Amino acid sequence: MTPSTPSDPQSTPSGPRRNPSARSADPSADVSALSQEEKIALTGGADFWHLHAAPSLGLGQIQVSDGPHGLRQQSGAADNLGLNDSVEATCFPPAVGLASTWSRSSAAAVAGAIAEEALAGGVSVVLGPGMNIKRSPLCGRNFEYFSEDPHLAGELAAAFVDGMQQRGVGTSVKHFALNNQETDRMRVDVDVDERTMHEIYLRAFRTVVTRAQPWTVMCSYNSVDGTPVARNRRLLTEILREQWGFEGLVVSDWGAVEDRPASVQAGLDLQMPADPFGEQDLREAVARGDVDQEALDRAAGKAVALLRRGLAAADPDAAYDAEAHHRIAVEAARRALVLLENDGTLPLAEPGDPAGAAVGAGAGTEAGADADAEGLVVIGDFAQTPRYQGAGSSHVNPTRLTDALGAIRAIAGEDVPFARGFAPGTTDGETDAAPSSESLRAEAVELARGARTAVLFLGLGEDVESEGFDRADIELPAVQLQLLEEVREVAERVVVVLSNGSVVRLPASLRGVNALLEGWLLGQGGGEATADVLFGRANPSGRLAETIPLRLEDTPSYLHFPGEDSRVRYGEGLFVGYRGFDAVDAEVAYPFGHGLSFTTFAQSDLAVTASAADGIEVEVTVENTGDRAGREIVQAYVSLPGSRVTRAPRELKGFAEVELAPGESRRVGISIPVEDLQIWSPAAGGWVVEGGTYRVEVGASSRDLRASADVEIAGDEPRPVMTMTSTPLEIRALPGGEEALGSLLGDSGLFADPEMLKMAEQIPVGRFTGLGGFSREQLQEMLDRVNRG
Ligand code: BGC
């Protein structure tokens, strides 16, 4: 191992040595140098994880590997479900944890470290990040995805892609697109309206493609509008390449292709894994002329370009510093923990810490330095057997694993007592081999009796959160909730730490504990990170990247998930996550963006400027008003009251992180580019900015908004052309429309009566030949007048 990482665990590691000979070449010369057989071979994998070589160009194979939060490089039996072994690699926080850092620098640091491990393993492309929108908390793969919000998901994914590709390792943003459930994932057909598709589900992909140009995009298993994505021309060619300008290679998800010729024709470049039947099908289809030579040349050209990129960065001497990477994993995990509740119980005092007198002393204990540490008990199997990642193709074999119990004992003393409380690995704690849940619970409750502080580790097992299937509910196991009830009755103070890859319902008994930490999945350094936060060595600064609802039934997609008969309709439309909760003003357990700190922050002096060309510039002063250093996430939400189209009450459009010493204040800027204000116009078939008075709200969560300001934006919507099918209502909304209508109506009295007006204004004007007694010429003259502007 060669040390290669700077001491700051959040800064990205240094770059690899390059092999310049594999680098640049004229892409069209490359393609013409290939034989037809080579081209056909290049459209499919050589095996499970390798691309074919291009011998006539002197280019060897390259290797790809999962996965998003650490390398899953398989040297033995290969699979795409995380079943067989992989070489040891650092297990960083999965996307659910990384996203709750709301930190672009953390995403880049983690990705940079994974890239180093990839180079050391001879891997050229890492199959991630996963960036589908969390449409329902039930999606089994939510732990691999960033957020319910496309802005947050796009920003973090772009930082991740940059962080990795700057090291010479490619990414594969996945799963493009509309893969928001595991139920029937290989067949389900998604029925989604155009605005929702572009504004919610494609938006983050658009951000990452236009901003970071990932080397590859991985297409998903599902169908959209009746066509499997793997051969969906609209998605793979018209949107991805023609609208967004994607320059890289489109790879299939493993096993997504059932018709290679159709896929290549539609825009797919590489079928994975190897499939000799697909290759033969393509050979025959090309010979028949069913696949254009141009399409085959495109696909082969993309594969060659990827080989060149990968080989140029390959470095046989590459190595990485496992210890330094573990520190990066710990630091990311520290930032990921979200403090949901705290009545002052946290941070706990460390033995010998004079602050303990202030923080930890209470009834039944001696006031003094060791108050917390002495009366501390730890309960819950997850404290010693961490739940730190999800199951499936992203499963990493960690280089090491720290458990919270060990880390707590390292701080508070080896004699901190512990009881399992429930059995690990099963949803309800009942296995034949395990002691009964009653006896485990009774032992834990006895331990907690009279304790000054019981720290309880609850959560979900890997068996319920996995690739390949969705969850049935969002409940914590009943045995754990029972344990909590009983511990609360006997311990003086209860702190709960949760481990789960997607939201769980938090009943009042949980929300009512003295402190509640949502740990999500934290990777291999989660144990240390958790202990650091419990004892205040790290100040929690994570924020929720997904709303925690009161009940599953409240979630906007509830009635439309997961569909039936291999079809799902995204009936909630644009109202995903907080957009939906806010639209109906629903109570939630914890809102999107929420997270407490051991210090407090104030936001003031909001200043907002805007221009149609550049978008909105936001500035706000953030002050640390408490007595500890901390990190605040300033969140900027935008809305357009009175918009002509359906919109959520507010949408996240910008955020910034700022670290402040006690008493320090700083001016924080957030730029909202005009693209982020765009909405999709089905009529115009493209993105437009609606003109009007936009409201910008800044705050500490979607429901803790501290200041707001309004700005005018001119907008760029094309003026609609009025025709015989346009209505008086639409005509009057246009500048000059009222006058044009008035000149037509004269003193006809047609719209004089308000009742009449209400009924008539939605009648297409062409019908007024019969209904109003106008001639076609009169109507056309009025339309010409409006259309002249
Ligand atoms: C998953 C992908 C993964 C691929 C290769 C598929 O089952 O959906 O995310 O990259 O397998 O393991």
Side-chain angles (χ1 to χ4, degrees):
M1 303 273 169
T2 47
S4 56
T5 308
S7 54
D8 172 5
Q10 284 305 312
S11 64
T12 47
S14 56
R17 283 203 277 123
R18 304 289 156 90
N19 166 12
S21 62
R23 260 192 185 168
S24 58
D26 171 6
S28 55
D30 264 356
V31 172
S32 18
L34 295 169
S35 70
Q36 189 78 337
E37 266 308 302
E38 268 181 311
K39 291 179 189 174
I40 289 168
L42 282 166
T43 64
D47 57 25
F48 217 84
W49 301 120
H50 290 85
L51 270 69
H52 275 291
S56 58
L57 292 168
L59 299 172
Q61 295 187 337
I62 59 167
Q63 186 184 171
V64 303
S65 270
D66 284 307
H69 58 268
L71 205 63
R72 186 177 72 100
Q73 186 185 9
Q74 293 186 310
S75 44
D79 72 280
N80 64 325
L81 296 172
L83 304 174
N84 296 305
D85 273 353
S86 54
V87 297
E88 282 186 4
T90 311
C91 180
F92 296 94
V96 62
L98 195 57
S100 54
T101 67
W102 286 58
S103 171
R104 298 170 182 90
S105 62
S106 291
V110 163
I114 297 173
E116 282 199 339
E117 299 191 19
L119 288 170
V123 169
S124 299
V125 177
V126 172
L127 304 175
M131 49 182 299
N132 294 97
I133 293 297
K134 300 187 192 201
R135 177 176 173 244
S136 163
L138 294 178
C139 173
R141 246 178 140 171
N142 274 358
F143 68 89
E144 275 189 74
Y145 300 145
F146 290 116
S147 179
E148 68 189 22
D149 180 81
H151 181 76
L152 184 56
E155 289 294 310
L156 295 177
F160 190 101
V161 168
D162 277 342
M164 185 164 291
Q165 295 190 169
Q166 278 163 11
R167 299 287 164 283
V169 174
T171 52
S172 194
V173 297
K174 66 188 188 184
H175 308 88
F176 182 76
L178 294 136
N179 176 192
N180 308 98
Q181 65 188 59
E182 291 300 281
T183 302
D184 210 5
R185 68 171 168 161
M186 287 193 148
R187 298 184 310 181
V188 72
D189 182 30
V190 175
D191 173 7
V192 61
D193 69 87
E194 260 195 81
R195 276 195 65 203
T196 302
M197 176 173 89
H198 285 281
E199 292 180 31
I200 303 289
Y201 294 98
L202 298 188
R203 191 159 212 146
F205 284 103
R206 175 194 184 220
T207 302
V208 82
V209 165
T210 54
R211 193 107 64 74
Q213 281 290 352
W215 289 12
T216 80
V217 166
M218 185 189 293
C219 84
S220 55
Y221 288 125
N222 54 288
S223 293
V224 175
D225 280 343
T227 308
V229 177
R231 53 181 168 86
N232 194 312
R233 186 182 157 76
R234 181 178 174 218
L235 283 165
L236 302 188
T237 295
E238 290 166 20
I239 295 176
L240 185 59
R241 289 205 164 99
E242 293 171 5
Q243 288 178 20
W244 301 347
F246 176 59
E247 292 163 5
L249 169 142
V250 180
V251 57
S252 73
D253 199 345
W254 268 231
V257 173
E258 20 79 277
D259 180 346
R260 194 188 298 183
S263 288
V264 170
Q265 185 69 31
L268 184 104
D269 303 309
L270 176 66
Q271 174 184 9
M272 287 300 280
D275 177 4
F277 299 101
E279 188 173 307
Q280 182 57 19
D281 288 348
L282 183 64
R283 189 173 292 116
E284 289 166 9
V286 172
R288 282 195 308 272
D290 288 352
V291 171
D292 302 338
Q293 185 64 38
E294 205 187 320
L296 177 61
D297 286 354
R298 182 215 67 237
K302 297 292 178 190
V304 167
L306 189 63
L307 291 180
R308 285 199 179 281
R309 278 176 141 169
L311 293 169
D315 179 357
D317 301 330
Y320 72 94
D321 180 341
E323 175 56 29
H325 286 193
H326 181 72
R327 299 311 325 156
I328 293 175
V330 172
E331 179 55 22
R334 286 166 139 202
R335 291 175 162 208
L337 279 144
V338 185
L339 182 62
L340 296 175
E341 295 282 349
N342 188 19
D343 65 358
T345 296
L346 294 185
L348 302 171
E350 293 186 22
D353 176 1
V359 182
T365 52
E366 284 174 32
D370 298 346
D372 286 346
E374 279 180 5
L376 180 67
V377 300
V378 175
I379 293 171
D381 204 87
F382 293 119
Q384 70 169 13
T385 314
R387 169 78 209 292
Y388 62 103
Q389 62 176 330
S393 63
S394 67
H395 202 273
V396 173
N397 180 11
T399 56
R400 54 194 261 204
L401 184 59
T402 56
D403 59 271
L405 179 61
I408 289 170
R409 283 178 170 163
I411 294 174
E414 288 306 319
D415 53 352
V416 171
F418 168 71
R420 294 171 67 199
F422 53 88
T426 60
T427 308
D428 59 8
E430 303 290 0
T431 63
D432 290 344
S436 76
S437 44
E438 263 98 82
S439 64
L440 288 172
R441 186 164 67 245
E443 180 201 356
V445 172
E446 260 336 286
L447 189 74
R449 194 174 299 283
R452 169 74 177 132
T453 312
V455 181
L456 200 48
F457 287 80
L458 306 179
L460 298 178
E462 242 182 54
D463 55 335
V464 291
E465 289 183 308
S466 169
E467 175 177 345
F469 57 89
D470 290 321
R471 288 192 294 168
D473 57 47
I474 60 167
E475 297 300 309
L476 280 167
V479 289
Q480 294 187 29
L481 293 177
Q482 179 70 31
L483 173 69
L484 169 70
E485 298 280 353
E486 294 182 23
V487 168
R488 285 190 71 185
E489 277 167 27
V490 298
E492 215 177 294
R493 305 184 306 181
V494 175
V495 175
V496 171
V497 181
L498 294 168
S499 302
N500 46 290
S502 182
V503 293
V504 288
R505 187 177 69 86
L506 302 175
S509 58
L510 256 175
R511 284 177 280 133
V513 295
N514 300 83
L516 178 58
L517 265 175
E518 176 53 270
W520 302 116
L521 303 179
L522 294 172
Q524 68 180 45
E528 277 158 270
T530 304
D532 286 349
V533 164
L534 288 171
F535 289 96
R537 291 185 177 191
N539 191 349
S541 60
R543 301 287 187 270
L544 292 181
E546 55 200 294
T547 309
I548 303 183
L550 280 174
R551 309 177 311 157
L552 173 66
E553 294 84 337
D554 298 336
T555 55
S557 63
Y558 178 70
L559 294 174
H560 310 280
F561 185 97
E564 59 201 14
D565 298 333
S566 296
R567 193 164 169 79
V568 58
R569 194 168 68 81
Y570 285 18
E572 71 285 359
L574 297 162
F575 297 98
V576 179
Y578 67 90
R579 288 169 168 77
F581 291 109
D582 288 355
V584 297
D585 205 13
E587 208 187 318
V588 299
Y590 297 99
F592 177 79
H594 170 76
L596 303 172
S597 165
F598 295 153
T599 187
T600 46
F601 299 97
Q603 298 185 14
S604 60
D605 296 329
L606 173 65
V608 177
T609 54
S611 83
D614 301 327
I616 302 178
E617 292 296 327
V618 180
E619 272 198 15
V620 64
T621 300
V622 185
E623 185 185 356
N624 182 342
T625 49
D627 55 9
R628 277 173 186 265
R631 186 175 72 107
E632 171 69 314
I633 310 291
V634 185
Q635 304 167 32
Y637 295 85
V638 174
S639 57
L640 178 58
S643 167
R644 69 167 184 84
V645 297
T646 306
R647 288 181 189 249
R650 62 187 58 79
E651 296 182 282
L652 182 77
K653 292 294 178 190
F655 63 94
E657 57 178 321
V658 53
E659 309 238 15
L660 294 172
E664 189 184 352
S665 69
R666 202 168 315 152
R667 205 82 183 127
V668 173
I670 296 175
S671 296
I672 303 175
V674 79
E675 294 77 44
D676 288 352
L677 300 175
Q678 291 173 328
I679 54 169
W680 181 262
S681 163
W687 293 97
V688 297
V689 176
E690 188 182 357
T693 309
Y694 284 75
R695 177 152 303 154
V696 179
E697 297 170 292
V698 296
S701 89
S702 60
R703 293 201 173 173
D704 179 5
L705 300 163
R706 308 276 176 86
S708 81
D710 289 351
V711 276
E712 287 296 324
I713 304 255
D716 62 7
E717 287 188 280
R719 187 182 163 104
V721 176
M722 295 292 108
T723 66
M724 289 290 180
T725 59
S726 305
T727 64
L729 193 66
E730 289 162 349
I731 292 170
R732 289 168 73 207
L734 294 175
E738 187 77 62
E739 294 73 23
L741 265 180
S743 69
L744 171 77
L745 298 172
D747 49 12
S748 70
L750 186 61
F751 288 166
D753 172 6
E755 284 297 302
M756 178 68 180
L757 173 67
K758 236 177 154 183
M759 285 191 290
E761 67 183 2
Q762 296 201 51
I763 298 175
V765 291
R767 315 288 170 86
F768 284 111
T769 47
L771 297 177
F774 297 103
S775 70
R776 285 220 176 91
E777 290 67 32
Q778 283 175 306
L779 293 169
Q780 191 56 53
E781 207 173 294
M782 180 273 296
L783 289 170
D784 291 345
R785 192 170 159 174
V786 193
N787 289 333
R788 279 197 299 273

